[in-house]
Amino acid sequence: MFDKKIYIKRREQLKKKIKTGLILFPGNDEAPMNYADNTYKYRQDSTFLYYFGLDRAGLFAIIDADENKEIIFGDDFTVNDIVWMGKQPTIKQLAANVGVANISSLSQLESFIKKAISQGRKIHYVPQYRYDNMLKLENLLGINANAVNNYASIELIKAVADQRSIKSNEELKEIEKAIEISYVMQTTAMQLARNGMVEREIAGFIEGIALSMGNGLSFPTIFSKHGETLHNHSYNNILKNGDIVVNDSGVESFNHYSSDITRTFPVSGKFTQKQKEIYQIVLDAQLAAIKTAKPKITWRSVHLKSALVIAEGLKALGLMKGDMRTAVNEGAHALFYPHGLGHLLGLDVHDMENFGEQYTGYSTKILRSEQFGLKSLRYGKELMPGVVLTVEPGIYFIPELIHQWEAEKKFVKYINYNKVKNYIGFGGIRIEDDIVITSKGCRVLGVPIPKSIDGVEAMSSEKI
């Protein structure tokens, strides 16, 4: 938890934009795995954390913009609870820790909100992603749970997204704490991997690092020698010398800020010549994107710059042909690079994605593309100082996609399918770092994690 002055300031800033009505902040409750007392690891809602900072189940908060009053609703633990959990702070103590003067029991929440509705007051809330919170709002607001998000406040979404998009120094420090742990996770994976190991042996070990040094994973780890599958959560493959492994993983700091780092490394400690050639193209694309990113240009243009570097590199290897600017404009490169350059990062690993990317990543002036590959760019709008993004270009050889495009004779003037088919079985390569936009450019956050060919080979050769 930050100093209470930070949460007070955040709420004051929000009240300057939302000047009337009630702003609702449903906190998350425990989620049972298979019976009520056996729950998944608890995670508080990120918007609740941003404004109220309390990492505890059973809470609901309201900002009454009309009365300039904030209330936290919750119940103190009973002695029966304390027997199992130990002594716990009271709701009054928790509220005081984040600068909130007013508290009430959860039993009073329904009557409080329904009275406001009867008075014709406006009710604001952001879209919900947990079904239990949708059911809470159904009960409180009289809106069918399946339709709750249809009535989310656009005014509030935009206000919160504007505020949360610009990271403070305190937030950047938290992200960098998470990246320090990612450094250990990434370098340990490189040093552990060896011929004959099963992927899960390493994936499980680095999850242990995330739990022992931080607040656990920020998302399920992608760790696979089949890097051509972008979100591969299966860890059952046996590693062999000659394989390359994609390790896309992240961790939460104790204040729930995320890292998201990807490295691709050789099991044997040495890339083959073919692997080096593709790896260097991806690295060149990432470095070009980092160099290009700065205020007042769009992230879409940075993405397209990375795509052009990839296309030119593949052309030099004979995999693509023709005019690469035209090829990228038409989307031919997406056979190899079918995703976006990166996404917002913060309290969520895909920050505020539940709000809808039309509000967080795009605008009325910059709309999401419908082109394959480019449509997967989660953030496209103009960059501003304080925005934190991932930079994660990649090259993948996806057999099913290659065969489909060749059968359809798609982009035959740009793609040399005969040569591309020689790379089936290669897998994929992705390299990812986290950046913050500065006044003149951008800064790569955190401690540098090896990513040059020499650096990755050196780390992967130091087996433990």
Side-chain angles (χ1 to χ4, degrees), residues 230-279:
L230 301 185
H231 281 181
N232 195 336
H233 293 144
S234 171
Y235 312 127
N236 295 324
N237 298 300
I238 298 173
L239 302 180
K240 297 177 181 177
N241 288 334
D243 291 337
I244 51 175
V245 179
V246 171
N247 178 9
D248 185 342
S249 55
V251 63
E252 282 194 353
S253 73
F254 289 114
N255 277 327
H256 293 293
Y257 283 83
S258 298
S259 63
D260 187 0
I261 303 290
T262 306
R263 292 293 184 267
T264 305
F265 63 89
V267 171
S268 67
K270 295 291 181 182
F271 289 109
T272 67
Q273 183 58 34
K274 199 174 190 179
Q275 290 166 352
K276 282 183 180 180
E277 290 168 349
I278 300 298
Y279 187 98

Side-chain angles (χ1 to χ4, degrees), residues 143-329:
I143 301 169
N144 184 281
N146 293 323
V148 158
N149 285 346
N150 297 338
Y151 295 89
S153 168
I154 306 303
E155 183 184 4
L156 179 62
I157 292 170
K158 291 180 177 179
V160 174
D162 285 348
Q163 198 171 344
R164 281 182 59 186
S165 291
I166 306 303
K167 302 298 186 286
S168 65
N169 288 333
E170 293 86 2
E171 291 177 289
L172 294 177
K173 288 177 183 176
E174 287 295 316
I175 294 170
E176 293 194 304
K177 288 177 185 176
I179 295 171
E180 287 176 7
I181 304 170
S182 281
Y183 175 93
V184 181
M185 293 166 68
Q186 290 287 344
T187 56
T188 300
M190 293 178 192
Q191 294 174 322
L192 276 177
R194 50 179 43 84
N195 186 59
M197 289 190 79
V198 183
E199 291 167 344
R200 63 175 172 267
E201 296 178 67
I202 304 169
F205 194 92
I206 64 175
E207 181 171 355
I209 293 171
L211 287 165
S212 65
M213 297 180 69
N215 201 46
L217 298 174
S218 54
F219 61 96
T221 296
I222 299 160
F223 187 92
S224 180
K225 69 179 191 178
H226 286 295
E228 75 277 10
T229 304
L230 301 185
H231 281 181
N232 195 336
H233 293 144
S234 171
Y235 312 127
N236 295 324
N237 298 300
I238 298 173
L239 302 180
K240 297 177 181 177
N241 288 334
D243 291 337
I244 51 175
V245 179
V246 171
N247 178 9
D248 185 342
S249 55
V251 63
E252 282 194 353
S253 73
F254 289 114
N255 277 327
H256 293 293
Y257 283 83
S258 298
S259 63
D260 187 0
I261 303 290
T262 306
R263 292 293 184 267
T264 305
F265 63 89
V267 171
S268 67
K270 295 291 181 182
F271 289 109
T272 67
Q273 183 58 34
K274 199 174 190 179
Q275 290 166 352
K276 282 183 180 180
E277 290 168 349
I278 300 298
Y279 187 98
Q280 191 61 51
I281 295 170
V282 177
L283 182 58
D284 289 343
Q286 200 223 23
L287 294 173
I290 291 169
K291 184 177 180 180
T292 303
K294 61 183 180 181
K296 297 185 179 179
I297 69 168
T298 66
W299 188 240
R300 177 184 283 172
S301 69
V302 182
H303 166 84
L304 292 173
K305 172 66 177 178
S306 72
L308 181 59
V309 172
I310 284 174
E312 294 284 7
L314 292 173
K315 180 181 178 181
L317 294 179
L319 300 176
M320 295 190 74
K321 57 188 177 180
D323 181 74
M324 290 298 95
R325 288 190 180 276
T326 306
V328 168
N329 287 339

Side-chain angles (χ1 to χ4, degrees), residues 113-161:
I113 291 179
K114 291 191 172 178
K115 180 180 178 182
I117 293 172
S118 70
Q119 294 170 335
R121 299 174 67 190
K122 193 167 185 178
I123 307 296
H124 302 272
Y125 58 89
V126 297
Q128 301 298 305
Y129 52 91
R130 292 269 297 255
Y131 293 112
D132 55 340
N133 281 341
M134 293 177 189
L135 289 167
K136 286 182 196 175
L137 292 183
E138 177 181 66
N139 180 59
L140 293 170
L141 305 177
I143 301 169
N144 184 281
N146 293 323
V148 158
N149 285 346
N150 297 338
Y151 295 89
S153 168
I154 306 303
E155 183 184 4
L156 179 62
I157 292 170
K158 291 180 177 179
V160 174

